[in-house]
């Protein structure tokens, strides 16, 4: 485990959902001593534990300057997490956060990231 973050899920701008990657957005208050980027993670909510890909950072492609967030895309999860407390357990750093030239370029990278995270969990890490 690299780091653990607990927080309440807030409404985002719903861009991830339109790209096919809905996220649970957790504002990062204060200093969270973890580098910005994409991680393989586990997310715990209401007794469930779900594998996830998580971006930590300021969302340079779609961010509105609203601060630093943990954005968790839970693999295989469907449901409403707004207002719920979740714990994000960062397991492995995958890549740095970066700005993409278009939403399509972002969507393609997210698809690659999801494959990487799926392989991470399939390999029993």
């Amino acid at each position: 485990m690299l780091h653990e973050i607990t927080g309440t899920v807030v409404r985002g701008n719903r861009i991830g959902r339109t790209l096919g990657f809905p996220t649970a957005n957790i504002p990062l208050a204060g200093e969270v001593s973890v580098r910005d980027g994409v991680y393989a993670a586990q997310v715990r909510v209401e007794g469930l534990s779900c594998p996830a890909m998580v971006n930590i950072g300021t969302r340079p492609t779609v961010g509105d300057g609203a601060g630093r967030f943990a954005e968790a895309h839970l693999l295989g999860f469907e449901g409403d997490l707004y207002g719920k407390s979740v714990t994000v357990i960062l397991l492995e750093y995958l890549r740095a956060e970066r700005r993409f030239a278009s939403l399509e370029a972002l969507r393609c990278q997210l698809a690659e990231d999801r494959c990487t995270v799926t392989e991470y969990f399939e390999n029993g890490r």
Side-chain angles (χ1 to χ4, degrees), residues 77-120:
F77 179 84
E78 292 186 26
D80 182 358
L81 295 175
Y82 295 126
K84 295 187 176 162
S85 178
V86 300
T87 299
V88 178
I89 302 154
L90 302 177
L91 301 171
E92 185 164 309
Y93 182 81
L94 302 177
R95 68 170 176 83
E97 182 181 53
R98 65 180 190 260
R99 175 185 283 280
F100 292 91
S102 67
L103 289 179
E104 180 58 21
L106 173 60
R107 188 196 63 72
C108 289
Q109 182 62 58
L110 290 172
E112 287 182 32
D113 293 341
R114 182 168 51 193
C115 287
T116 301
V117 170
T118 299
E119 289 173 10
Y120 174 88

Side-chain angles (χ1 to χ4, degrees), residues 3-122:
H3 198 80
E4 188 172 299
I5 300 163
T6 298
T8 301
V9 177
V10 299
R11 291 193 184 275
N13 52 19
R14 302 175 83 92
I15 292 174
R17 181 176 310 279
T18 66
L19 297 175
F21 298 90
T23 58
N25 302 298
I26 302 103
L28 300 177
E31 291 296 315
V32 173
S33 60
V34 63
R35 65 181 162 170
D36 289 353
V38 176
Y39 293 80
Q42 282 285 341
V43 174
R44 292 188 187 141
V45 58
E46 296 183 335
L48 297 174
S49 183
C50 299
M53 69 177 186
V54 175
N55 182 71
I56 301 290
T58 59
R59 308 174 297 187
T61 304
V62 300
D64 55 8
R68 195 165 175 236
F69 285 81
E71 295 179 291
H73 173 69
L74 285 65
L75 305 181
F77 179 84
E78 292 186 26
D80 182 358
L81 295 175
Y82 295 126
K84 295 187 176 162
S85 178
V86 300
T87 299
V88 178
I89 302 154
L90 302 177
L91 301 171
E92 185 164 309
Y93 182 81
L94 302 177
R95 68 170 176 83
E97 182 181 53
R98 65 180 190 260
R99 175 185 283 280
F100 292 91
S102 67
L103 289 179
E104 180 58 21
L106 173 60
R107 188 196 63 72
C108 289
Q109 182 62 58
L110 290 172
E112 287 182 32
D113 293 341
R114 182 168 51 193
C115 287
T116 301
V117 170
T118 299
E119 289 173 10
Y120 174 88
F121 286 102
E122 286 176 350

